[in-house]
Amino acid sequence: MADLKSTFLNVYSVLKAELLQDPAFEYTDVSRQWIERMLDYNVPGGKLNRGLSVIDSYRLLKEGKELTEDEIFLASVLGWCIEWLQAYFLVLDDIMDNSVTRRGQPCWFRVPKVGMIAVNDGVLLRNHIPRMLKNHFKGKPYYVNLLDLFNEVEFQTASGQMIDLITTIEGEKDLSKYALSLHRRIVQYKTAYYSFYLPVACALVMSGEDLENHTVVKDTLVQMGIYFQVQDDYLDCFGDPETIGKVGTDIEDFKCSWLVVKALELCNEEQKKLLHEAYGKPDPENVAKVKALYKELNIEGVFAEYESQSYAELNATIEAHPSKSIQAVLKSFLGKIYKRQK
């Protein structure tokens, strides 16, 4: 795995060098340095799970056949396209959420002299993706399918972000509209498609598969993405900021978190009143009240039960899939996220 990661990181250097020499734009030293610093700050700093899982998935789809250097390189390019997409979302997300830290360092827009230039940097990150796809896949029979896939998933993600944002509009904070169905819709579109479906879809397309024939795979990965986000919501409140690399702010931000949805389902009228008064308030006392209520309602236990039930259901769905290689891909994803701490 470490070896795969270093190979993957080498491909980042190649792609970055190509983008900095893109013939469609005349770079000056200053603009080239800006882009390089922006890329290094925002693209390779995460866990790289999404990117690496394209290579993992492609290898499993090839059923243990030794991959050629070219195959590893192309799967890595697709992996980096997803990491670029992620960077684009996060740079803009952090501005919209007015976040402070990301991956254990200040958000890009909070870096001195960056500020709102980060908006254009986000746009550039998004525009790098078709440049990379064109450079490396233009001659392939599945080139258009890749472009189509990235466009569709980006649209779904941006639409999910919209539902998330309009749900938390200032002055319209109404907890009563928060339900499991809304949480599911936000998560499905905002997270599951690009984080779970996209890496496997890239590997399937590269293997010559028609995605229309793999709706079960898509549905299973979306389910996995929802489970992943519920874990994320849980870690935002109960995780260790040192371990997860960020300080959770879902309570302050009035997020439609799985925890608050569950709390609303379980609480009595008095507790509901407290939740309505304290949720979404930025001061530490109100945040502490919400966390104390979560403890009182044993939300941690409710989560543990949800986790084991989701795991069992996902496993059953995977076991029922007719293709052993696709089973292996799905199992590898589930294994990475089950009971994670960060």
Side-chain angles (χ1 to χ4, degrees):
M1 188 62 186
D3 187 38
L4 178 63
K5 195 165 184 175
S6 59
T7 308
F8 188 59
L9 285 165
N10 288 340
V11 176
Y12 167 74
S13 305
V14 172
L15 294 170
K16 181 176 73 170
E18 287 173 355
L19 290 165
L20 294 173
Q21 301 296 331
D22 194 318
F25 179 69
E26 282 181 46
Y27 282 98
T28 59
D29 287 345
V30 174
S31 58
R32 193 177 277 114
Q33 281 162 7
W34 179 276
I35 294 292
E36 178 159 28
R37 179 172 80 123
M38 184 272 289
L39 291 176
D40 288 345
Y41 196 92
N42 293 296
V43 178
K47 299 187 284 285
L48 307 179
N49 287 344
R50 293 168 184 82
L52 288 165
S53 52
V54 177
I55 313 168
D56 278 347
S57 302
Y58 185 72
R59 182 171 280 146
L60 291 165
L61 289 172
K62 288 285 166 195
E63 296 180 330
K65 279 199 208 81
E66 192 66 34
L67 301 189
T68 65
E69 268 185 39
D70 190 48
E71 285 178 310
I72 293 170
F73 179 79
L74 290 176
S76 300
V77 172
L78 292 179
W80 280 115
C81 285
I82 301 174
E83 292 295 336
W84 247 266
L85 187 70
Q86 156 94 331
Y88 148 60
F89 291 141
L90 298 186
V91 164
L92 297 183
D93 230 24
D94 286 342
I95 299 170
M96 291 180 248
D97 290 345
N98 205 21
S99 300
V100 178
T101 56
R102 163 77 62 188
R103 296 169 173 170
Q105 60 181 8
C107 299
W108 176 239
F109 80 100
R110 298 220 177 250
V111 171
K113 298 187 184 159
V114 177
M116 287 304 116
I117 299 172
V119 175
N120 192 62
D121 288 335
V123 174
L124 282 169
L125 285 163
R126 187 261 173 265
N127 276 280
H128 286 161
I129 297 164
R131 313 300 297 163
M132 295 185 281
L133 292 174
K134 183 180 176 182
N135 283 340
H136 297 283
F137 294 95
K138 195 161 184 216
K140 306 281 181 200
Y142 53 81
Y143 175 50
V144 173
N145 301 15
L146 283 175
L147 290 172
D148 209 24
L149 174 64
F150 274 90
N151 284 336
E152 182 143 321
V153 169
E154 185 197 349
F155 168 67
Q156 289 170 314
T157 309
S159 301
Q161 171 71 342
M162 177 218 26
I163 314 172
D164 194 11
L165 291 166
I166 63 177
T167 307
T168 53
I169 291 172
E170 279 300 326
E172 290 183 23
K173 290 184 171 174
D174 176 14
L175 262 188
S176 57
K177 64 189 169 190
Y178 282 0
L180 220 46
S181 57
L182 175 68
H183 179 268
R184 189 198 161 88
R185 283 187 71 220
I186 293 172
V187 174
Q188 176 175 346
Y189 291 102
K190 184 182 169 177
T191 303
Y193 284 113
Y194 95 90
S195 297
F196 285 81
Y197 173 59
L198 184 55
V200 176
C202 281
L204 285 166
V205 169
M206 215 181 117
S207 307
E209 291 287 327
D210 181 350
L211 293 176
E212 297 288 317
N213 301 332
H214 292 285
T215 50
V216 174
V217 173
K218 183 194 251 182
D219 295 343
T220 309
L221 287 160
V222 165
Q223 279 302 115
M224 235 180 267
I226 292 166
Y227 163 54
F228 177 86
Q229 185 60 47
V230 173
Q231 288 177 316
D232 229 42
D233 291 354
Y234 175 82
L235 291 170
D236 185 275
C237 180
F238 296 107
D240 170 23
E242 284 296 309
T243 311
I244 58 176
K246 61 184 175 186
V247 177
T249 57
D250 283 359
I251 295 171
E252 295 93 317
D253 296 340
F254 197 73
K255 286 287 180 203
C256 182
S257 158
W258 185 84
L259 305 181
V260 79
V261 169
K262 277 289 157 195
L264 285 164
E265 281 180 14
L266 298 166
C267 64
N268 60 33
E269 284 309 311
E270 194 183 324
Q271 291 167 324
K272 191 171 280 184
K273 187 169 176 286
L274 184 149
L275 205 48
H276 276 266
E277 284 166 8
Y279 199 74
K281 303 281 187 339
D283 59 287
E285 296 83 67
N286 277 306
V287 173
K289 279 183 193 170
V290 174
K291 288 192 176 182
L293 180 61
Y294 286 169
K295 287 266 189 227
E296 212 176 294
L297 295 167
N298 187 27
I299 295 292
E300 289 180 80
V302 176
F303 168 75
E305 195 178 313
Y306 165 85
E307 180 155 59
S308 55
Q309 191 188 338
S310 297
Y311 184 71
E313 285 172 8
L314 284 163
N315 249 329
T317 309
I318 294 167
E319 293 285 349
H321 198 283
S323 158
K324 285 285 178 239
S325 61
I326 285 176
Q327 274 193 30
V329 170
L330 297 172
K331 278 182 180 167
S332 126
F333 261 78
L334 189 53
K336 281 179 199 151
I337 60 169
Y338 183 54
K339 297 215 159 171
R340 70 194 176 94
Q341 296 302 309
K342 61 176 184 176

